Amino acid sequence: MTALTIAKTDDLDRLMRLVADYHGEEGIEQSDDTRRNAILPLLEGSPHGVIYLMGPARAPIGYVVVCFGWSIEFGGMDGFVDEIYVRPAVRGRGIGTEVLHTLPKALAKAGMKAIHLEVGNENPRARKLYEKLGFRAREGYAMMTREL
């Protein structure tokens, strides 16, 4: 079973490298300062989300970020998997599947009513995996974003 550890401020440098790698793969352009300013509050205990390190805390093999919200429709606290990343060298071993199978169960025990994630239209492999794990596209809905 892959260990999940809540990341703390001591993990910032390790996490910055992982997030930069993920952003590079996804084509997300962001300065290190912006990235650091987005990560640090979560490591300091912000009530808005949590970052889990996958694998050994001293040498993590990935991470997952869950941001918290509130939904009238779902009847309480919900969450959004903002980012999930597994190092390329250890992909294909079921680590992401395991994390997305066990983490929602733990979050449900903590009172979360629903968890959401985003998947690219051009990524049918990920979509198939997420569906296997119980995630469903919402008929008639599309995520829309407005940057502020």
Side-chain angles (χ1 to χ4, degrees), residues 93-147:
R93 299 180 188 177
I95 295 165
T97 301
E98 179 186 352
V99 167
L100 288 176
H101 179 74
T102 59
L103 186 58
K105 290 179 182 179
L107 293 171
K109 286 181 182 175
M112 188 172 283
K113 303 297 183 185
I115 190 161
H116 318 279
L117 54 72
E118 228 179 343
V119 61
N121 292 328
E122 71 290 340
N123 196 343
R125 184 174 176 221
R127 182 179 296 272
K128 184 176 179 179
L129 169 65
Y130 298 152
E131 287 173 350
K132 178 180 161 192
L133 292 167
F135 290 89
R136 301 285 176 256
R138 296 188 66 203
E139 263 323 294
Y141 291 87
M143 183 170 172
M144 298 175 69
T145 302
R146 177 181 170 183
E147 289 190 42

Side-chain angles (χ1 to χ4, degrees), residues 60-77:
I61 58 173
Y63 70 95
V64 60
V65 180
V66 179
C67 298
F68 305 129
W70 194 263
S71 171
I72 302 299
E73 178 180 355
F74 292 106
M77 183 172 51

Side-chain angles (χ1 to χ4, degrees), residues 50-96:
V50 63
I51 302 174
Y52 294 93
L53 296 175
M54 297 177 199
R58 293 260 184 228
I61 58 173
Y63 70 95
V64 60
V65 180
V66 179
C67 298
F68 305 129
W70 194 263
S71 171
I72 302 299
E73 178 180 355
F74 292 106
M77 183 172 51
D78 65 351
F80 188 90
V81 176
D82 185 55
E83 294 186 0
I84 183 168
Y85 176 74
V86 176
R87 289 184 186 272
V90 294
R91 288 186 192 152
R93 299 180 188 177
I95 295 165

Side-chain angles (χ1 to χ4, degrees), residues 15-74:
L15 195 53
M16 286 287 292
R17 285 190 296 276
L18 289 169
V19 174
D21 289 347
Y22 171 70
H23 287 184
E25 282 186 26
E26 292 294 315
I28 299 169
E29 293 186 26
Q30 191 176 64
S31 72
D32 284 341
D33 285 341
T34 300
R35 191 175 292 125
R36 178 181 262 85
N37 291 336
I39 293 169
L40 197 53
L42 298 177
L43 301 181
E44 293 173 336
S46 167
H48 301 291
V50 63
I51 302 174
Y52 294 93
L53 296 175
M54 297 177 199
R58 293 260 184 228
I61 58 173
Y63 70 95
V64 60
V65 180
V66 179
C67 298
F68 305 129
W70 194 263
S71 171
I72 302 299
E73 178 180 355
F74 292 106

